[in-house]
Structure formats: structure tokens, C-alpha cells
């Protein structure tokens, strides 16, 4: 048997063309595809704040005095910071923060202890990944209090005089990527992932159940068309829809919310293909499981809710309990949010987003496999 | 001379859904060029059987070939050669007539789609609706469009599941003209129907009830095999007699046909005796030919009494 008996490009194209015509005729769905991004953007102009703790922090220390250890210990004790790594170079620290491994990097300069004792007000640099201001603002503001209070205890005996007068050290806070803590900077790129998830899963979820409900599947199944051709023919038109939605959000982000877009737009468009496909795969899988269109919509919402709540869109990811983070890690939206924020706000390149790409790819592979095996070639 | 290979040959074909038997050990043979009628009450297994033939359902057990290919393993070879018309309109209501036909032509991988579609619309008189959405067509035209769609790839076998249900008499007549024309070209057709006049148009027919084949053959053969005798009674208010007649020995069924009553039984003498005391001034009784409908009603009643 030749390859063409498994897949025919003409048959695939026939299905795809038919989907486009039907999409154009279905005015309500068409309006929804364009309307949802706009409505959501307006609604989520407000941000939801929370107070995440135990944020991963890396320490780059060139000083080994008791004072630097005091500062680090006090940060840990405050509950906001969790020291996960000690790094040796600035380059290593930068990479960690770019990839999102850590939220903060504390840099302690050499001679910190000595200069502190001499009353020279040495500097401490705390760099924050502030793409999501809600995640970092409380930690940042607590840092000064924590550090000064801790050092005050150490400055006893002959050093007591340092407690008076100006603060003994100079704290430099450096919130990178979103220095003004504008929540829209975080929300708008995130919205791209949310809107794609919401519309694409629902719309493709309906695609096959609609054929079954209207009886047209019966006709389709009696023809030589293959499951893979039907699936692909139904996915591709909605990939185009996904890109149109992205376009709407990017334009609104740029011209309405004035969100800076630092990274490469072509890179974002390219990797978005994987995310769009993953959502469509999920929708198609739902539509092979659902008995009717209502069930398909319910399933889509069942997927959509954890996606929006546990992905780090609604609440800072690191503020969630561990079990919720574990669920979040399996969802494509979680990784896509990191990619979008990484590219648009941090100027990430391909290498930095790679760790977020393969989980989406894995999700897509699983969803498509389940969908194809569940797609009923017969009606029973 | 050996007879040509049958188009459909199944034996002991069985299918059940969740333990409920829909088709029970059905054996059947359909010859090339034949118009084969499929009759039986609702839920008798007609649709299930047709769906098994076109690969929509996998049979549970039994054996069978369709156009020389095995029903269990070669449905991918059967599908390109059959035209299936489902009971419910199953083309896209939100596509136009032309779009629907073009879509089906491409799905079957046919060459020169545009001219093929124009020709098909011309032949079945659909040309004036070419750009109209299928959902806005009337029942008869929808059915015609569906027929055009399943004829595009010139199938050798047509599987038509109640194609004329809800279609007006003129459209039904046109439809049958088309079937006869195709049959003359050598296309085989299996048609399920509830209409007796259509049953009589078929070359051969089968009667199904509760998933079992109760009778098969030409209309004359089915009538002869039933062993049934029928008297017709005509007269004013003839239906008033019905309930009284039903209780008499030898009278197995009383069926009203407009202003006449068909009274049937298997024993001709007993039947005649049962009718002996009917007032001949008011009613006119006579022995008459047994109709297919009488046979089918009898088959249904007997079968229903057993289960």
C-alpha cells in the first residue's frame, strides 16, 4: 500500500477549504474569534495582586564576612526569598534570571564586611525579574527592612555607633524588564496565551462534534477520507485564526497599552505555532470524546479553568502551593506565558525559551495521539 | 454458464449494541444490476445492516463480502465504490449546492471537479439552485442533492436508507426514474423503504423484523411463500365490522384499507366460514389477491406474538 492511500493532500485540502467556508458563514463564531481578544483585554486591564513567598533567589557573593551571611540568612527568614543557588559569576546569574530559574539575584561586592565596619555604606545589589510586578513588589519592599534590621543586631559592642546616623549600607534595587511595575506589561502578553487557549480549544472542540451531531459525519465516514486528513484539515484553518487573534493582541498591546516589545516578533510567531497546535490538538481530542456540542464546550471549560488559574496568568506562579505548580507545569499555557513574557519583555532568544518549548511539544504529541486513536472510524 | 459474482453476499451477519441484538444472523445475496428492497418496521435492523455494508459499523460476527471485498477487513476498498445515502440529510447545510458537490468530488479524489459538478447539477436539475445554501432547499431537493452527491464518483453499488421518507409523490417518482435509469446501466441498488408501492417496484425484496430476515424474494415469491389468503369486504361503515371479525376462528388479521377491509388467514375454508354470516345486502365480500402489505402485517403480528 502506498503512502497516498494513507494521506491524500487533495482530500486534506478539500476539508480545510470546506472549514474556511463554514467559518465564514457562521457569523457568531466569527465575531467571537475577533471579539474575545478585545473584550478580555479590556476586562483584564485590572490586575489581581497577591503576596507570593519563597521566591527563588540566587546569591553572587564576593564577600565572606559575617555581615553578608547575616543579610542572606535574614532574607531567607523573611519568607519572601528562598536561596536556591550560589553562583560564581555575573554571567551565570544573568542566565538564571533570563531563563526564569530565579526571580532575584543578590550581588554582594567584595569587601562588603570590611567597608561596613568602616562606616563606608557599602552597596548591595538586588536584581529582580519584575515582568510580573505582583510577584516581586512585596519581596522588594520588604528587603530593605529585613536587611537593615538584621545588620542592626550585628552592629553591637564597638560598632554600636554605626547604628546611629545614616543607614550602614546602601541598597540598590534593580527591577529589570518592567521597572515601573506596570501590570499591563505582564497582563497583555499573557492575555495572548489565554485568548488562544480559550477560543481555539472551544472552537475545535466543536468542529468534530458538530459533524457528528448534524449527521454529516455519517456521510464523511462512508467516503474514503482518512482520520488524519480530517484532523489536519480541521486544525489548519484554526491555526490561521489563532494568528489573527495574536495580531489583534499585539497591535492593541503596542498602540493601546504601550507595552514594550523587546524581543524578536518572528521568533514569537514561530514558536506560537507549537502552542496553537497544542490547543487545537486538545480541542480535537475533546471533540472525539464528547457526545454533543454542549459536552465539548463543558470539557473545554474544564481545561480552560486550570489553565487560566494555575498557569501564572491569574496568580503569580511561584505564589501557588507545590501541588498546584505541578499541575501548572503540565499545561501548555504555563510554558507559553513564560515564552511570551520572555520574548516580549526580556528579549529572550531561542536558547532561553527552549526549556519551555519541549513540554508544549510533548503535550501536543499526547493530545494528537489520544485524538487520533479516539476518532471513531466507525459509528459504534 | 455460471451466474456473475453477487454484489452483496453475507451470511450469519450479526451486530448488537450493548447486548441488544440489532441484526441477528442475517444471510442475504444481491445480484448485480438488481434493485433490492429492504422492508421492515422501525428498529428492525435495516439501517444497521446498511451501515455495516458501507463500513460505518463493524459487524460482530458472520461473514460477508461487498463488491467482492471482505466486509471486515477491506472497507477501505469498498468505500470508493459505493454511494451511501443516509436516512437524515447528511451534507452541509451551510454550504451551497455547488460547494457541497465540489467538496464530495474532492473527497473522492475525482478529476476535473468543476465540469463534473456542473454536469451533475445539470442532469439532476439542480443548476438553478447552484449557489443556494443546502439548508434552504425543500425536502425533495435536498434529497436530490444528496443523490447527486453520492453519484458523483459513479459508484457500482448504491445504499439508500429510506431515501424517499418525507418526499412528495412527484419527487418520489422522479427519484425512482433515476434509480431505474442507473439500474439499466448496471448499478446495483439496495433501498430501504416503508412504502408498499416502492416495495413493488423492486426486483427483489427482503422483510426484516427484530433484526431477523422473515421473508425474501420477488414480490410474487414473498406473497406465495406467506401461504396467506385474503378476502376484501366493501360497504358503508365497513370498519364497524372489524372488531367483531377479529374474534372469529380462522380470521387472523383485519386491516382497513380506506373503505375496504382486508381479512386474512392461513386456512381458506375457515376464513370463508368466518365470513359466511355477513349481510350481503350491506356488504360485498370477495376472495382477492393477497397484497404485500397483507403479508407484511401478518409477518409482523406473528413475530410480535412470539416474542
Amino acid at each position: 500500500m502506498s503512502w497516498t492511500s494513507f494521506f491524500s493532500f487533495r482530500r486534506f485540502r478539500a476539508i480545510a477549504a470546506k472549514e474556511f467556508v463554514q467559518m465564514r458563514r457562521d457569523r457568531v463564531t466569527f465575531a467571537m474569534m475577533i471579539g474575545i481578544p478585545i473584550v478580555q483585554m479590556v476586562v483584564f486591564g485590572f490586575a489581581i495582586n497577591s503576596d507570593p513567598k519563597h521566591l527563588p533567589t540566587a546569591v553572587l557573593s564576593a564577600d565572606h564576612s559575617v555581615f553578608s551571611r547575616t543579610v542572606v540568612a535574614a532574607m531567607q527568614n523573611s519568607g519572601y526569598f528562598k536561596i536556591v543557588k550560589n553562583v560564581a559569576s555575573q554571567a551565570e546569574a544573568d542566565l538564571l534570571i533570563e531563563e526564569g530559574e530565579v526571580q532575584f539575584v543578590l550581588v554582594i561586592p567584595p569587601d562588603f564586611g570590611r567597608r561596613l565596619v568602616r562606616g563606608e555604606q557599602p552597596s548591595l545589589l538586588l536584581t529582580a525579574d519584575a515582568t510580573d510586578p505582583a510577584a516581586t513588589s512585596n519581596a522588594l519592599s520588604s528587603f530593605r527592612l529585613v536587611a537593615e534590621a538584621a545588620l542592626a543586631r550585628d552592629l553591637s559592642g564597638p560598632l554600636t555607633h554605626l547604628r546611629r546616623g545614616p543607614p550602614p549600607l546602601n541598597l540598590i534595587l534593580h527591577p529589570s524588564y518592567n521597572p515601573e511595575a506596570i501590570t499591563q506589561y505582564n497582563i497583555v502578553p499573557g492575555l495572548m496565551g489565554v485568548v488562544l487557549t480559550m477560543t481555539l480549544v472551544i472552537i475545535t472542540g466543536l468542529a468534530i462534534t458538530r459533524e457528528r451531531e448534524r449527521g454529516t459525519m455519517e456521510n464523511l465516514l462512508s467516503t474514503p477520507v482518512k482520520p488524519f486528513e480530517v484532523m489536519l484539515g480541521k486544525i489548519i484553518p484554526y491555526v490561521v485564526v489563532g494568528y489573527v487573534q495574536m495580531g489583534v493582541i499585539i497591535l492593541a498591546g503596542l498602540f493601546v497599552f504601550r507595552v514594550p516589545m523587546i524581543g524578536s516578533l518572528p521568533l514569537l510567531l514561530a514558536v506560537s505555532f507549537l502552542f496553537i497546535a497544542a490547543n487545537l490538538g486538545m480541542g480535537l481530542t475533546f471533540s472525539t470524546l464528547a457526545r454533543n456540542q454542549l459536552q465539548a464546550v463543558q470539557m473545554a471549560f474544564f481545561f480552560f479553568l486550570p489553565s487560566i488559574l494555575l498557569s501564572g496568568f491569574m496568580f503569580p506562579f511561584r505564589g501557588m502551593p507545590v501541588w498546584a505548580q505541578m499541575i501548572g507545569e503540565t499545561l501548555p499555557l504555563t510554558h507559553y506565558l513564560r515564552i511570551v513574557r520572555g520574548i516580549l519583555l526580556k528579549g529572550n532568544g531561542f536558547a532561553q525559551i527552549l526549556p519551555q518549548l519541549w513540554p508544549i511539544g510533548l503535550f501536543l504529541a499526547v493530545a494528537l495521539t489520544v485524538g487520533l486513536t479516539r476518532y471513531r472510524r466507525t459509528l459504534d | 454458464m455460471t451466474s456473475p459474482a453477487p454484489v452483496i453476499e453475507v451470511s450469519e451477519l450479526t451486530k448488537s449494541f450493548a447486548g441488544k441484538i440489532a441484526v441477528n444472523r442475517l444471510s442475504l445475496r444481491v445480484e448485480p444490476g438488481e434493485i433490492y428492497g429492504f422492508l421492515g418496521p422501525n428498529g428492525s435492523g435495516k439501517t444497521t445492516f446498511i451501515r455495516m455494508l458501507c463500513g460505518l459499523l463493524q459487524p460482530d460476527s458472520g461473514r460477508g463480502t461487498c463488491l467482492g471485498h471482505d466486509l471486515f477487513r477491506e472497507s477501505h476498498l469498498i468505500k470508493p465504490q459505493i454511494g451511501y445515502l443516509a436516512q437524515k440529510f447528511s451534507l452541509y447545510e451551510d454550504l451551497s449546492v455547488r460547494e457541497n458537490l465540489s467538496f464530495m468530488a474532492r473527497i473522492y479524489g475525482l478529476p476535473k471537479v468543476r465540469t463534473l459538478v456542473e454536469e451533475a447539477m445539470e442532469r439532476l436539475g439542480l443548476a438553478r439552485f447552484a449557489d443556494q445554501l443546502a439548508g434552504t432547499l425543500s425536502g425533495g431537493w435536498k434529497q436530490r442533492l444528496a443523490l447527486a452527491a453520492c453519484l458523483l464518483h459513479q459508484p457500482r453499488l448504491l445504499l439508500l436508507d429510506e431515501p424517499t421518507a418525507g418526499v412528495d409523490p412527484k419527487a418520489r417518482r422522479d427519484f425512482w426514474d433515476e434509480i431505474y435509469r442507473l439500474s439499466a446501466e448496471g448499478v446495483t441498488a439496495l433501498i430501504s423503504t416503508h412504502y408498499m408501492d416502492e416495495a413493488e417496484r423492486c426486483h427483489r425484496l427482503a422483510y426484516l423484523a427484530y433484526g431477523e430476515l422473515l421473508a425474501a424474494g420477488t414480490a410474487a415469491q414473498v406473497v406465495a411463500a406467506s401461504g396467506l389468503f385474503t378476502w376484501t369486504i366493501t360497504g358503508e361503515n365497513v370498519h364497524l365490522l372489524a372488531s367483531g371479525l377479529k374474534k372469529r376462528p380462522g380470521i387472523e388479521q383485519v386491516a382497513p384499507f380506506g373503505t375496504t377491509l382486508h381479512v386474512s388467514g392461513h386456512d381458506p375454508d375457515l376464513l370463508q366460514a368466518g365470513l359466511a354470516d355477513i349481510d350481503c345486502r350491506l356488504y360485498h365480500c370477495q376472495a382477492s389477491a393477497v397484497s404485500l402489505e397483507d403479508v407484511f402485517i401478518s409477518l409482523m403480528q406473528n413475530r410480535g406474538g412470539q416474542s
Side-chain angles (χ1 to χ4, degrees):
Chain A
M1 215 184 277
S2 69
W3 163 245
T4 51
S5 63
F6 286 109
F7 186 81
S8 144
F9 185 73
R10 287 194 65 197
R11 286 198 298 252
F12 151 70
R13 209 174 52 189
I15 302 252
K18 183 213 80 173
E19 289 295 317
F20 269 122
V21 174
Q22 289 188 305
M23 208 190 294
R24 207 179 62 218
R25 300 259 155 84
D26 188 355
R27 297 261 164 77
V28 177
T29 309
F30 195 73
M32 188 175 105
M33 289 186 267
I34 303 301
I36 281 182
I38 296 169
V39 170
Q40 295 240 350
M41 201 113 66
V42 172
V43 169
F44 284 103
F46 311 99
I48 294 136
N49 245 307
S50 111
D51 190 14
K53 305 226 164 149
H54 308 291
L55 299 169
T57 304
V59 175
L60 173 59
S61 176
D63 177 75
H64 302 285
S65 71
V66 61
F67 300 107
S68 50
R69 282 200 294 278
T70 300
V71 170
V72 171
M75 278 172 80
Q76 287 258 48
N77 291 340
S78 76
Y80 281 109
F81 305 92
K82 183 182 172 202
I83 313 297
V84 292
K85 239 173 195 150
N86 283 297
V87 293
S89 71
Q90 188 64 46
E92 204 183 329
D94 288 347
L95 188 70
L96 285 175
I97 212 158
E98 269 173 28
E99 285 183 349
E101 279 279 301
V102 297
Q103 195 98 33
F104 299 101
V105 172
L106 176 71
V107 180
I108 306 177
D111 304 337
F112 174 75
R114 196 138 33 103
R115 295 179 60 202
L116 186 80
V117 173
R118 286 190 204 142
E120 290 177 19
Q121 289 187 305
S123 300
L124 277 182
L125 173 65
L126 184 68
T127 308
D129 171 359
T131 43
D132 184 356
T136 50
S137 56
N138 283 350
L140 278 177
S141 56
S142 74
F143 179 62
R144 183 178 301 277
L145 288 172
V146 166
E148 286 175 8
L151 285 175
R153 252 177 283 122
D154 276 3
L155 298 173
S156 53
L159 299 172
T160 315
H161 68 279
L162 287 173
R163 291 199 208 165
R164 293 184 295 273
L169 77 170
N170 179 24
L171 279 179
I172 304 170
L173 299 179
H174 179 46
S176 17
Y177 310 125
N178 185 2
E180 292 125 87
I182 298 174
T183 46
Q184 276 87 345
Y185 287 6
N186 183 47
I187 289 287
V188 172
L191 213 49
M192 196 136 69
V194 171
V195 166
L196 289 176
T197 302
M198 183 161 165
T199 44
L200 296 182
V201 173
I202 290 180
I203 290 169
T204 52
L206 295 177
I208 282 185
T209 32
R210 185 174 50 207
E211 298 246 6
R212 193 173 296 133
E213 219 171 281
R214 292 189 185 167
T216 52
M217 186 54 100
E218 188 165 353
N219 186 44
L220 214 51
L221 285 172
S222 74
T223 71
V225 75
K226 301 285 184 297
F228 192 60
E229 293 156 3
V230 176
M231 285 237 170
L232 211 61
K234 283 183 169 290
I235 278 188
I236 297 297
Y238 295 108
V239 170
V240 176
V241 171
Y243 275 114
V244 171
Q245 294 186 322
M246 278 182 72
V248 171
I249 296 172
I250 289 175
L251 287 179
L254 275 177
F255 297 110
V256 181
F257 294 99
R258 308 263 167 214
V259 175
M261 308 232 167
I262 297 166
S264 151
L265 202 57
L267 176 68
L268 179 65
L269 293 177
V271 297
S272 295
F273 184 82
L274 197 63
F275 176 69
I276 290 173
N279 281 309
L280 296 175
M282 192 69 237
L284 277 188
T285 300
F286 283 153
S287 71
T288 60
L289 295 170
R291 296 228 155 267
N292 52 47
Q293 296 194 57
L294 181 65
Q295 279 188 3
V297 173
Q298 287 171 331
M299 286 185 194
F301 264 94
F302 194 71
F303 175 72
F304 179 65
L305 278 181
S307 284
I308 198 168
L309 294 176
L310 303 182
S311 62
F313 173 75
M314 203 73 118
F315 313 112
F317 193 78
R318 291 191 173 112
M320 303 192 307
V322 177
W323 61 266
Q325 291 196 14
M326 278 161 68
I327 298 173
E329 289 287 352
T330 64
L331 299 169
L333 182 59
T334 306
H335 301 279
Y336 186 67
L337 286 184
R338 294 175 190 165
I339 290 175
V340 177
R341 289 169 180 168
I343 293 178
L344 291 183
L345 300 178
K346 298 187 194 175
N348 276 359
F350 186 71
Q352 286 105 331
I353 60 168
L354 197 58
Q356 309 299 338
L357 269 184
W358 68 262
I360 301 181
L362 186 69
F363 186 93
L364 170 65
V366 172
L368 269 190
T369 311
V370 174
L372 274 177
T373 45
R374 288 284 312 176
Y375 174 89
R376 276 158 271 190
R377 215 182 297 224
T378 55
L379 283 174
D380 51 349
Chain B
M1 203 182 115
T2 55
S3 60
V7 172
I8 299 170
E9 188 171 34
V10 299
S11 65
E12 308 270 299
L13 210 61
T14 301
K15 176 78 191 174
S16 51
F17 296 104
K20 204 169 168 291
I21 291 178
V23 170
N24 193 15
R25 302 174 58 170
L26 187 73
S27 300
L28 195 78
R29 195 180 150 103
V30 179
E31 306 295 340
E34 224 173 9
I35 300 178
Y36 200 97
F38 231 50
L39 288 104
N42 293 328
S44 58
K46 302 187 300 283
T47 299
T48 304
F49 180 70
I50 291 178
R51 283 177 172 179
M52 282 195 281
L53 286 178
C54 56
L56 286 171
L57 292 175
Q58 180 87 21
D60 294 339
S61 63
R63 274 178 298 111
T65 59
C66 185
L67 296 159
H69 298 295
D70 188 272
L71 274 187
F72 287 80
R73 287 175 289 108
E74 299 181 315
S75 70
H76 62 283
L77 296 175
I78 300 173
K79 283 179 179 177
Q81 302 186 64
I82 56 165
Y84 171 57
L85 199 60
Q87 209 165 17
K88 194 177 158 221
F89 180 71
S90 58
L91 291 171
Y92 299 93
E93 301 212 334
D94 49 355
L95 296 188
S96 71
V97 168
R98 183 185 279 121
E99 284 162 348
N100 265 306
L101 291 174
S102 308
F103 174 68
M104 290 303 284
R106 292 198 176 95
I107 284 294
Y108 279 101
L110 303 175
K112 296 188 191 129
V113 170
R114 195 165 299 174
T115 46
L116 195 73
V117 167
E118 296 304 322
E119 279 167 17
M121 287 194 299
E122 207 58 58
R123 204 180 63 186
L124 285 161
L126 286 160
R128 63 198 166 102
F129 301 118
D131 295 313
Q132 196 171 323
L133 295 188
T136 63
L137 294 175
S138 68
W141 284 106
K142 269 188 189 167
Q143 187 267 353
R144 201 159 249 258
L145 168 61
L147 182 66
C150 78
L151 290 176
L152 281 170
H153 58 297
Q154 300 184 313
R156 289 169 57 203
L157 170 64
L158 286 174
L159 298 169
L160 312 171
D161 194 0
E162 293 187 23
T164 54
V167 169
D168 67 59
K170 165 79 168 65
R172 265 171 63 192
R173 186 169 292 274
D174 294 345
F175 175 82
W176 275 90
D177 287 347
E178 187 68 22
I179 298 298
Y180 275 120
R181 197 185 57 70
L182 290 162
S183 168
E185 290 172 9
V187 176
T188 312
L190 183 82
I191 303 178
S192 78
T193 179
H194 285 301
Y195 296 109
M196 287 304 135
D197 61 315
E198 293 188 351
E200 277 157 13
R201 289 174 195 232
C202 296
H203 297 137
R204 286 201 298 147
L205 43 94
Y207 186 83
L208 253 74
Y210 309 100
E212 283 176 45
L213 189 67
L214 298 185
T218 62
Q221 282 169 344
V222 169
V223 169
S226 73
L228 209 62
F229 295 88
T230 297
W231 284 64
T232 51
I233 309 174
T234 47
E236 232 23 49
N237 293 325
V238 75
H239 58 274
L240 295 174
L241 286 174
S243 54
L245 285 173
K246 271 182 195 161
K247 296 187 186 101
R248 299 187 183 182
I251 296 179
E252 292 164 31
Q253 73 183 48
V254 179
F257 283 73
T259 56
T260 65
L261 273 188
H262 285 211
V263 183
S264 312
H266 283 90
D267 187 328
D269 298 332
L270 217 54
L271 183 65
Q272 198 169 357
L275 296 171
D277 63 337
I278 287 178
D279 192 337
C280 293
R281 284 166 301 177
L282 292 174
Y283 302 106
H284 177 68
C285 306
Q286 74 177 99
S288 59
V290 180
S291 73
L292 266 181
E293 189 151 3
D294 295 323
V295 175
F296 292 152
I297 294 170
S298 158
L299 284 170
M300 261 277 276
Q301 279 186 341
N302 292 346
R303 188 46 234 237
Q306 278 169 34
S307 60

